[in-house]
Amino acid sequence: MATLKEITAADIKTSKSVLNQLIDVIQEDLSGSATRKKYQVFVTGGVGPGVTSSLFQTVYDQDFTLQTANPMFDVTVGLYASSSTVISSSTGVDTAGKRLFKSSSLMMREKVDNYRQFAQVLLGGADKKFVAPFGTTADETSTDTVNEAMFISFKRLFARDQVKRGTFAMRWYQSASRAPLVGTNESSDPLGNGILHYGPNLYVPTVSGSKIFTDAGATTNKKSTFGGQVADIVDSSDTSRKVGLMFYDHGTAVFDLGKIMSGSQHVSGAISAMSDAADAGDSAAGTAIIGGINTDNKGAAFIPDLMCSASIDDIIDHISTVRFSSGTKTAMTFQNITNINSTLIFCRSTADEFNYSSNPTFTDSNNRIVVIEEGSESQRTVTFPTTVGLYDANSNLLAVAKLSRPVEKRDDKDVTFRIRLDF
Amino acid sequence: MSIIKITRDNLENLTVTTSPYRLFSSSSTVGVTGSVFVYAERTNREKGFFNLESLEEVDSFDEAKLAVAFDQFNEATLKMRLKADPTDLQGVAGSLLNLYNATDTPEYRLTEKEITRFVPGVPFNSPYGEKKGSLHSGSLKKSTVKKVLFPYYRTAYPSAHWAYTNFNCLNFFTSSMVPKESVIIYPSSGSQRTGHVPYMPDGEFTFQFWINPRYTFDRHGDDFQAGTVMHMSGCYAVSLVSGSQKDSKGLTDAYRIMLQLSASTTIPPSSATYAANNSRNYGEGERTSRDLLFLTSDNILKRNKWHHVAIRWGTNSINQGTGSFVIDGVEDSQFYVPSASVTSATWGEDTMGGNFPGALFIGNFFEGSNKGAANYLTTNFFNSKAGSEEGVKQLSSDTGMAQPEGYALNHPLNAEIHDIRIYDKWKNVDQIYSSSLRGISSSSIKDKNLLFYLPPFFVKESGGSRQVPDTPCVNKTGHITESPFNARMAFSVAGHDINLENFCREFKEGLYPRLFKLTGSIQTALSEDFFPNEYFYDDGGTGANPRPISAFNRRRALTLMPCDNGKFRSDFTLLDSGTIVNNPATGSLMGSFVNDFEILDNSLISLNNIVPDNDFLGSYEDNGASSTYATEKLDVNISMLDDLAGASAFNYRDGSGTTIKGATTGKGQFRILEETGDNSSNQVVFFNVSNLFYGDRIRPGTFKLSDSDISGSGGKVAVTLKDDGQGGLYRADSLTKHATWNNVGNILYDEGIIVIKSPHLYFFGANQYEVEFRGERNMHALALNISCPAGMINSSTNPTYSDMVPSDNEWEKSEKFVYITGLNLHDDNFNIIGKVNLAQPVIKRDSDRYMFKVKFDF
């Protein structure tokens, strides 16, 4: 045990370092139903069996029913309240100021609220709008305004202290697939009304025509806002196209669906809807066919029709299975940053210090120091420090530093123990 | 804002102890289950990181370059990274995504911890160990446990001594891996009682023993063959036979005891036919060969339960010749033999002719004749060859006595037994019951009616000098053993050989048995390297070098096991010998029965000072240049060490500094001892449990360690160990009360270290093991009780604050209030060191009193 020596301020240094991890999200994480968790908190009633949906979905790195699964990020969509998509589908505003929508629209107020939530957290105001490129002035009609947004919020486990600038990339399929209608040519116009129709494409994974969106250039073009550091996400094939924003401190990416999707492409498929069997025509109760050749909206497009008519779950299901495709390729990647703060404490033992031990085996029964060879005059005392204890001013033991192996200490040499506390 | 001082009485510390359950198993055939990840939060979506800045900037996508990069990524030859403004950003970004996708998750992130097993004392490279030229790390770990941790924990764990309890049982079993003819044979000659044949009651008798029939047959439809506990040809035989009861799998799970007397002992137990009860009543002179064959009631003994069995008969002078079986202290069934004796009165002491029974067989049934030619006699088991090679008592001075022939040993016992006694006295039930609870003491061994007593106990004597394997292929002749295992083999080549002879002393006559097909038998030397234990115990298969007698070694290694009978307590005073002192000298007769303080404790077998000094020094005298070692393959390995450490490594100087003869030739036998300087047992097994499994400590009383198939038993012998809550391990296989005091090892709960000290369990876990326990993890919490008294905390410095009525209720009396939204925790210097935000503001009127309880978990 222990000889005490005071540690002065000169013996204590602090340092800071960073740790980077490379995160690789693959397409199957999004496309798989077992890795994408839904929270069906939205419920309708009154017409048909009703619709249930999440407000967002969480993507896991493996089957989320397993205890070892880690949530990687949340994904959801939102609509800017003043966008034409919202305004044009609205039937008015009630006396309390609540915007009203037709029953064929679904979750419109929830989509607007989602947008407002992210605007509040990232931009500092719920009524603000996301604009890409960041910082430009744009009205609702400007192509820079993000009217239909996709939000991806990485979890703390993956984003850590920060997403590293210039490392984010996402592989995205702009177009949905074009499966031909059965028995027709691919570019069929069965109704002769000039609208080309294809088979259902709402949940058919796209296999070609991907784009990569990246925050390239973010290392030199540094901006900050209410939500911390931010940079534009660009189309790698045309970096002048700013398609979204990356909020590094929050670990949230905002994408303009109007730019990254072929929004005007015809959409076709079954979606959840406020309908009963009697009204649904060729669809089952609780569903509707969007873009079907026998439906009223046979010319439906992804934007605005799908964004208005589909529930958030249906939209996310479409995005996850179609826009990210399904396979083992990388869907998204980035590096994170973990800040490590360290305190270095230098415990110096000079030549004359720490040369004796109170270990009972240090002396023999006559209280004489045990030496290797009895009678030798030249032998000196040797100690083997094994542990360094750190005490406060009141001699309370605060921390213990264990050496991986004992260190020899003699009176003809000094030893400095460098203790590092990481936190 | 108000400041209220928090004093010590406002603080509460509380601890919640969690107790995670763990089950881990390791098997050489089915692998490992139950390991834990080092990183609780891990994902294979995290990839091995590499520094992009170290790569060469490119401005266009190069498919060929990327292919090379993938192939040679480990060599860090990838020279491509995203340029700030490349001409082909899409292509380069795509290639980087592919690169990331192809990169592996760092191995360390997916590291799993297992519960590991290791044994110390194996210092050399093949064939003896793992790491060339350096001490096996297991030896260093053992040293730490034995020299540092055991002394530290000894105050709390009283069994933390390098010693184990001397409470054993004989384990008889059959399998394809062991010879069925194995038997322990005691010479029935030279009784201390003049005019009597040892172990043969003249008239009355009581046989007593504890038995646990823990084995059954393997498959439904097989027969459970009768096995014999003890047999003296022509006199008596006691066997274990199956009952009628079967378990759900159709396997026998209840048994009965069969007694054969006099002429009926010629009937092999498996061929005996008997009535449902012992009702036959024959008078003197009416007996036939099948008359004297009796049974307990059906299913009286249950599988894997310890039962005390006593069989008594008092001639026709007691109860008119009615004898009885007493099971667990209760009379079970009776038999009737109206006679004065069931053994021949004409058999004389040391007589070689006639019907002399010659030997007492324990664990098998002797099928053979005592009559006729001399080489049929059971006494022939004790011939001169057996005398010189196995150290047994010779029953004849005739050096030409032949090996016995024309016999069979086809009824091996399948059970564990201990505390075997034979009296030539009829005992009443009370006597039987009381003697079933405790072993025979040093005073009661003198009971003139006691003929035979086999506890079995370890003693320093091992009978006569015999051949002892020095290595798996070299014998040392004329040797005696004084330790529980073969020290010469252990400290020379890390081989394992139990000294079964030292455990088989019969205490009444002081005789040692012949361990028939139970000897430690060396194998023919090979020309290639070998692992000693593999060579000693493995039969070599059907290859060019089969080693059939290795089955003897397997049987020998498993014949003695720690006893788990908690219904019995040994009396270790029986081991007192010579002048009893508290500190017996090392090497004295009592020197093995000490704890680590060298204080006498008869219940312990010390595992220190295994190699006697004289033996150590003597080995060099015995093994000079003319030693047979020179011709053995072992020499190669000695040379290997010579190369590494020089021949001087084997020099040994005695106390005066004189170099011992032969040492410089590199023929020292105790190489492991020389290398480690540690003369304590290395025949121990360690298990190491990482604290990732248990947290702060393993919860005492919850630990269970099991091996479902001890190596060499052919799937028959399973052993389970449990902890006693005080750092001791005991065997816990039987379904009856366990002998928790029978220490076979230790567990250090705080360190996650388990050591099995009993050398009889040296192969425990060699092929598979399962560990089950609960951990303990303390979750500490600090609770602050922050009072908010009436009359205080009634104003706010918020500039928007104004006096308002808290509610519009009619009963509202207050004219003002404050909203409390949070609390700040300050130190003595008013630095904020903590902050508490309330989920919603709380209305505080002047008259309101609140207590905020703030909890910190850490």
Side-chain angles (χ1 to χ4, degrees):
Chain A
M1 165 56 215
T3 308
L4 295 176
K5 182 177 182 180
E6 185 174 350
I7 304 289
T8 67
D11 297 319
I12 302 175
K13 300 294 176 191
T14 59
S15 68
K16 184 175 181 180
S17 57
V18 297
L19 173 71
N20 296 126
Q21 293 169 312
L22 174 63
I23 307 301
D24 176 35
V25 180
I26 65 172
Q27 295 166 331
E28 286 174 344
D29 294 337
L30 285 125
S31 62
S33 59
T35 55
R36 189 154 40 83
K37 189 175 186 179
K38 299 178 180 179
Y39 311 89
Q40 297 191 319
V41 294
F42 175 83
V43 182
T44 67
V47 180
V51 175
T52 58
S53 174
S54 314
L55 296 177
F56 64 92
Q57 297 182 9
T58 302
V59 177
Y60 285 73
D61 59 353
Q62 53 188 298
D63 185 342
F64 59 76
T65 59
L66 300 175
Q67 197 176 20
T68 51
N70 300 293
M72 292 194 289
F73 58 87
D74 296 330
V75 57
T76 189
V77 293
L79 297 175
Y80 179 44
S82 301
S83 66
S84 62
T85 301
V86 175
I87 299 297
S88 62
S89 61
S90 172
T91 57
V93 179
D94 70 5
T95 54
K98 185 172 73 174
R99 191 166 284 283
L100 304 174
F101 296 92
K102 291 187 288 188
S103 64
S104 58
S105 299
L106 203 56
M107 298 184 76
M108 288 300 286
R109 282 187 290 275
E110 283 73 20
K111 292 165 190 168
V112 170
D113 286 345
N114 271 353
Y115 193 102
R116 287 167 54 81
Q117 285 265 11
F118 278 97
Q120 173 68 44
V121 173
L122 298 174
L123 303 176
D127 296 328
K128 293 187 176 182
K129 60 178 180 292
F130 293 96
V131 178
F134 185 80
T136 58
T137 304
D139 60 22
E140 288 70 25
T141 60
S142 168
T143 55
D144 291 341
T145 298
V146 181
N147 287 317
E148 297 84 22
M150 176 178 73
F151 302 100
I152 294 176
S153 289
F154 292 101
K155 297 287 188 182
R156 164 80 195 175
L157 178 63
F158 288 84
R160 300 298 169 106
D161 292 338
Q162 198 177 63
V163 173
K164 187 178 179 182
R165 283 177 171 272
T167 64
F168 178 81
M170 179 175 84
R171 181 182 274 123
W172 176 269
Y173 293 78
Q174 286 193 297
S175 302
S177 67
R178 292 186 167 196
L181 280 171
V182 177
T184 66
N185 295 323
E186 181 180 340
S187 56
S188 61
D189 183 6
L191 302 180
N193 58 3
I195 299 175
L196 302 181
H197 283 270
Y198 304 93
N201 62 357
L202 196 52
Y203 301 118
V204 180
T206 310
V207 293
S208 63
S210 67
K211 287 262 188 178
I212 295 175
F213 302 121
T214 171
D215 66 341
T219 51
T220 55
N221 187 15
K222 296 184 177 178
K223 299 170 185 171
S224 288
T225 182
F226 179 84
Q229 299 176 62
V230 62
D232 298 329
I233 297 175
V234 302
D235 181 347
S236 64
S237 63
D238 178 6
T239 55
S240 66
R241 286 190 70 223
K242 314 298 184 186
V243 299
L245 302 171
M246 185 72 203
F247 291 84
Y248 296 99
D249 295 324
H250 269 275
T252 298
V254 181
F255 288 93
D256 187 344
L257 286 172
K259 289 180 180 173
I260 63 174
M261 280 171 56
S262 298
S264 59
Q265 187 186 359
H266 175 249
V267 59
S268 177
I271 57 173
S272 302
M274 296 278 289
S275 68
D276 55 32
D279 299 331
D282 55 356
S283 64
T287 63
I289 302 298
I290 186 171
I293 58 175
N294 298 322
T295 58
D296 294 339
N297 60 350
K298 53 180 70 72
F302 284 100
I303 298 174
D305 301 276
L306 183 69
M307 296 301 295
C308 291
S309 301
S311 67
I312 291 177
D313 264 352
D314 284 343
I315 297 173
I316 298 175
D317 287 349
H318 164 72
I319 288 172
S320 301
T321 55
V322 175
R323 304 297 170 169
F324 285 99
S325 191
S326 180
T328 57
K329 286 182 177 177
T330 296
M332 281 187 283
T333 182
F334 64 91
Q335 290 176 29
N336 62 25
I337 295 174
T338 305
N339 297 314
I340 300 173
N341 296 297
S342 303
T343 298
L344 300 174
I345 303 169
F346 294 88
C347 302
R348 308 174 204 278
S349 59
T350 64
D352 287 338
E353 296 174 322
F354 302 101
N355 293 321
Y356 295 91
S357 168
S358 56
N359 190 315
T361 61
F362 194 68
T363 54
D364 61 18
S365 57
N366 297 318
N367 291 327
R368 300 171 66 172
I369 295 173
V370 176
V371 293
I372 296 171
E373 195 171 340
E374 288 289 348
S376 172
E377 299 294 331
S378 61
Q379 290 199 71
R380 293 169 171 169
T381 172
V382 178
T383 60
F384 287 91
T386 60
T387 307
V388 180
L390 300 177
Y391 295 80
D392 68 5
N394 298 319
S395 298
N396 298 313
L397 181 60
L398 301 178
V400 172
K402 289 277 186 187
L403 305 183
S404 61
R405 64 187 69 175
V407 174
E408 183 186 8
K409 173 72 179 73
R410 309 173 69 94
D411 64 358
D412 58 356
K413 66 179 183 183
D414 61 344
V415 176
T416 298
F417 298 99
R418 180 172 169 270
I419 297 173
R420 177 182 178 132
L421 298 173
D422 289 340
F423 46 87
Chain B
M1 188 172 70
S2 302
I3 294 177
I4 297 173
K5 187 172 179 64
I6 305 297
T7 56
R8 181 67 213 173
D9 55 341
N10 295 117
L11 306 182
E12 291 177 28
N13 292 97
L14 60 99
T15 299
V16 176
T17 301
T18 59
S19 182
Y21 170 79
R22 291 290 184 189
L23 176 63
F24 175 89
S25 67
S26 174
S27 165
S28 58
T29 54
V30 297
V32 170
T33 58
S35 55
V36 296
F37 286 96
V38 173
Y39 289 87
E41 292 181 330
R42 69 202 167 278
T43 174
N44 55 12
R45 295 297 177 261
E46 182 192 337
K47 298 300 180 70
F49 177 74
F50 54 90
N51 188 3
L52 287 175
E53 277 69 21
S54 69
L55 306 179
E56 176 189 329
E57 284 189 343
V58 294
D59 59 5
S60 63
F61 175 57
D62 185 339
E63 187 74 46
K65 213 167 186 177
L66 182 67
V68 173
F70 280 140
D71 292 343
Q72 303 180 353
F73 181 63
N74 287 337
E75 283 73 43
T77 55
L78 181 63
K79 298 296 183 188
M80 187 168 63
R81 79 177 167 97
L82 204 61
K83 196 175 181 180
D85 186 19
T87 57
D88 181 16
L89 178 60
Q90 168 98 347
V92 174
S95 65
L96 278 175
L97 258 59
N98 293 340
L99 176 62
Y100 294 161
N101 192 236
T103 305
D104 291 331
T105 301
E107 281 187 18
Y108 78 91
R109 295 289 292 176
L110 304 176
T111 302
E112 291 180 76
K113 269 289 185 185
E114 298 176 3
I115 295 175
T116 54
R117 173 192 188 271
F118 67 89
V119 294
V122 190
F124 309 122
N125 193 21
S126 177
Y128 300 131
E130 295 173 358
K131 197 169 181 182
K132 189 172 185 178
S134 65
L135 282 175
H136 190 299
S137 60
S139 295
L140 297 175
K141 292 173 184 172
K142 170 201 162 188
S143 180
T144 303
V145 171
K146 179 175 181 293
K147 296 177 180 174
V148 180
L149 296 177
F150 264 35
Y152 178 79
Y153 286 107
R154 196 170 287 145
T155 51
Y157 307 155
S159 60
H161 293 268
W162 211 245
Y164 69 105
T165 306
N166 196 0
F167 181 38
N168 317 290
C169 61
L170 294 170
N171 176 39
F172 293 99
F173 67 99
T174 53
S175 83
S176 59
M177 298 284 285
V178 296
K180 69 175 183 179
E181 300 86 1
S182 295
V183 63
I184 299 173
I185 313 171
Y186 286 90
S188 179
S189 175
S191 172
Q192 296 172 10
R193 298 186 309 151
T194 305
H196 295 267
V197 176
Y199 315 142
M200 188 175 77
D202 298 330
E204 305 171 26
F205 64 76
T206 302
F207 303 115
Q208 284 184 217
F209 54 90
W210 279 97
I211 186 168
N212 177 5
R214 62 179 303 216
Y215 302 106
T216 186
F217 45 86
D218 296 329
R219 292 180 299 276
H220 174 66
D222 289 352
D223 289 329
F224 180 88
Q225 191 188 32
T228 299
V229 176
M230 61 178 87
H231 180 207
M232 181 172 257
S233 181
C235 298
Y236 54 83
V238 179
S239 301
L240 177 74
V241 299
S242 59
S244 60
Q245 183 173 304
K246 304 286 171 69
D247 65 8
S248 58
K249 297 177 183 175
L251 307 179
T252 295
D253 73 345
Y255 309 82
R256 59 204 306 194
I257 294 291
M258 181 170 73
L259 173 68
Q260 297 166 262
L261 294 174
S262 194
S264 292
T265 60
T266 60
I267 305 168
S270 60
S271 304
T273 55
Y274 36 78
N277 53 48
N278 303 321
S279 61
R280 287 170 294 188
N281 189 346
Y282 297 96
E284 185 76 28
E286 296 177 330
R287 284 175 281 160
T288 66
S289 64
R290 293 186 178 273
D291 296 340
L292 299 176
L293 191 148
F294 310 105
L295 286 138
T296 61
S297 58
D298 193 13
N299 302 322
I300 187 68
L301 307 183
K302 308 300 182 189
R303 193 205 304 169
N304 201 18
K305 290 188 174 182
W306 281 104
H307 295 280
H308 186 257
V309 175
I311 308 169
R312 56 181 183 166
W313 179 72
T315 72
N316 51 12
S317 63
I318 297 178
N319 291 343
Q320 287 77 47
T322 301
S324 61
F325 295 90
V326 180
I327 308 298
D328 295 330
V330 177
E331 187 171 272
D332 171 68
S333 56
Q334 296 180 340
F335 54 91
Y336 179 56
V337 183
S339 175
S341 173
V342 292
T343 57
S344 171
T346 60
W347 292 327
E349 181 186 9
D350 285 343
T351 301
M352 298 301 297
N355 293 338
F356 184 64
L360 170 61
F361 294 76
I362 301 290
N364 213 323
F365 186 89
F366 175 76
E367 291 180 59
S369 174
N370 277 329
K371 298 179 180 178
N375 60 1
Y376 284 6
L377 297 175
T378 51
T379 49
N380 286 31
F381 282 102
F382 299 89
N383 55 46
S384 58
K385 186 171 187 294
S388 61
E389 293 182 356
E390 301 180 35
V392 297
K393 178 180 180 177
Q394 280 185 247
L395 292 190
S396 170
S397 58
D398 177 9
T399 56
M401 181 189 279
Q403 296 283 358
E405 296 176 356
Y407 67 90
L409 294 160
N410 289 329
H411 294 82
L413 179 63
N414 275 289
E416 290 182 336
I417 55 174
H418 75 96
D419 199 60
I420 308 159
R421 312 179 189 192
I422 301 174
Y423 294 95
D424 65 351
K425 184 75 176 174
W426 186 89
K427 297 273 188 180
N428 64 40
V429 171
D430 290 340
Q431 288 173 319
I432 290 171
Y433 176 71
S434 62
S435 64
S436 73
L437 302 178
R438 196 166 183 88
I440 289 178
S441 67
S442 58
S443 57
S444 53
I445 192 71
K446 297 168 185 170
D447 180 354
K448 64 181 177 58
N449 296 120
L450 180 67
L451 305 184
F452 178 90
Y453 184 52
L454 175 60
F457 276 153
F458 166 79
V459 293
K460 287 195 73 170
E461 292 181 351
S462 60
S465 59
R466 66 182 199 275
Q467 290 180 348
V468 178
D470 261 6
T471 75
C473 56
V474 179
N475 263 333
K476 179 175 178 62
T477 58
H479 195 60
I480 58 171
T481 51
E482 298 183 338
S483 55
F485 56 86
N486 184 339
R488 304 180 71 85
M489 201 154 91
F491 284 99
S492 63
V493 296
H496 182 68
D497 176 30
I498 289 291
N499 284 332
L500 188 57
E501 291 80 359
N502 291 72
F503 290 87
C504 291
R505 174 187 172 94
E506 188 282 299
F507 277 77
K508 182 62 182 180
E509 299 287 355
L511 295 176
Y512 290 84
R514 180 174 183 189
L515 301 174
F516 190 71
K517 296 196 176 183
L518 284 168
T519 51
S521 305
I522 61 170
Q523 317 287 327
T524 307
L526 289 178
S527 57
E528 68 266 23
D529 291 348
F530 52 83
F531 288 94
N533 286 333
E534 180 182 321
Y535 193 67
F536 200 56
Y537 292 104
D538 190 274
D539 59 14
T542 56
N545 297 290
R547 301 185 289 277
I549 55 175
S550 61
F552 299 180
N553 298 333
R554 292 193 290 270
R555 190 73 178 80
R556 174 183 174 89
L558 296 170
T559 293
L560 200 95
M561 298 292 282
C563 186
D564 63 351
N565 182 9
K567 300 196 286 187
F568 175 84
R569 190 96 185 188
S570 295
D571 192 324
F572 296 103
T573 61
L574 186 62
L575 295 168
D576 287 345
S577 180
T579 304
I580 303 303
V581 294
N582 279 335
N583 299 83
T586 303
S588 68
L589 278 176
M590 299 303 289
S592 289
F593 308 122
V594 295
N595 60 22
D596 281 3
F597 300 119
E598 299 190 346
I599 303 294
L600 179 67
D601 185 341
N602 279 8
S603 69
L604 295 180
I605 305 172
S606 174
L607 295 172
N608 291 310
N609 302 312
I610 293 296
V611 180
D613 286 348
N614 289 339
D615 209 3
F616 186 31
L617 300 176
S619 71
Y620 296 94
E621 300 289 353
D622 294 343
N623 294 281
S626 61
S627 166
T628 55
Y629 280 89
T631 61
E632 298 298 336
K633 179 58 190 168
L634 288 170
D635 215 19
V636 173
N637 299 291
I638 293 171
S639 299
M640 180 195 77
L641 191 71
D642 286 350
D643 293 338
L644 293 170
S648 61
F650 296 103
N651 288 349
Y652 186 83
R653 287 181 294 177
D654 63 12
S656 62
T658 305
T659 300
I660 300 301
K661 175 186 173 185
T664 54
T665 63
K667 301 297 187 292
Q669 289 184 30
F670 298 101
R671 292 190 298 280
I672 292 172
L673 174 55
E674 294 164 23
E675 186 87 352
T676 61
D678 182 358
N679 194 9
S680 64
S681 169
N682 291 323
Q683 309 310 99
V684 296
V685 183
F686 284 90
F687 290 87
N688 187 12
V689 184
S690 166
N691 62 0
L692 289 175
F693 284 87
Y694 56 81
D696 295 332
R697 68 168 182 169
I698 295 171
R699 170 168 278 193
T702 66
F703 187 81
K704 181 180 173 185
L705 181 61
S706 52
D707 183 341
S708 59
D709 175 12
I710 296 283
S711 181
S713 72
K716 284 291 186 181
V717 180
V719 172
T720 298
L721 306 177
K722 289 184 178 178
D723 80 296
D724 61 4
Q726 294 183 301
L729 293 180
Y730 60 90
R731 189 176 168 212
D733 283 305
S734 70
L735 299 177
T736 44
K737 182 183 176 185
H738 298 140
T740 57
W741 53 273
N742 186 18
N743 179 257
V744 299
N746 288 94
I747 174 171
L748 306 179
Y749 303 109
D750 296 308
E751 314 288 343
I753 293 173
I754 296 95
V755 54
I756 300 174
K757 298 177 294 188
S758 171
H760 311 290
L761 301 176
Y762 184 64
F763 294 123
F764 185 101
N767 285 341
Q768 67 281 308
Y769 53 91
E770 185 175 279
V771 187
E772 184 180 354
F773 59 90
R774 286 191 175 277
E776 275 190 7
R777 181 69 174 162
N778 293 321
M779 310 293 286
H780 303 289
L782 169 65
L784 304 178
N785 296 316
I786 302 173
S787 66
C788 185
M792 295 179 69
I793 325 290
N794 51 16
S795 69
S796 169
T797 56
N798 192 315
T800 64
Y801 175 78
S802 60
D803 290 348
M804 297 174 71
V805 178
S807 72
D808 56 1
N809 294 323
E810 291 183 2
W811 47 261
E812 184 63 69
K813 302 295 183 188
S814 298
E815 296 183 351
K816 66 173 188 174
F817 73 103
V818 293
Y819 270 124
I820 299 176
T821 59
L823 298 87
N824 288 338
L825 306 176
H826 299 259
D827 66 6
D828 288 344
N829 299 317
F830 296 105
N831 301 311
I832 295 179
I833 55 173
K835 193 170 183 178
V836 180
N837 278 328
L838 303 184
Q840 58 192 46
V842 175
I843 292 176
K844 166 80 169 66
R845 300 172 182 82
D846 197 27
S847 57
D848 288 341
R849 293 178 298 153
Y850 284 110
M851 173 72 81
F852 293 98
K853 293 184 78 97
V854 180
K855 278 189 180 175
F856 298 91
D857 292 339
F858 44 86

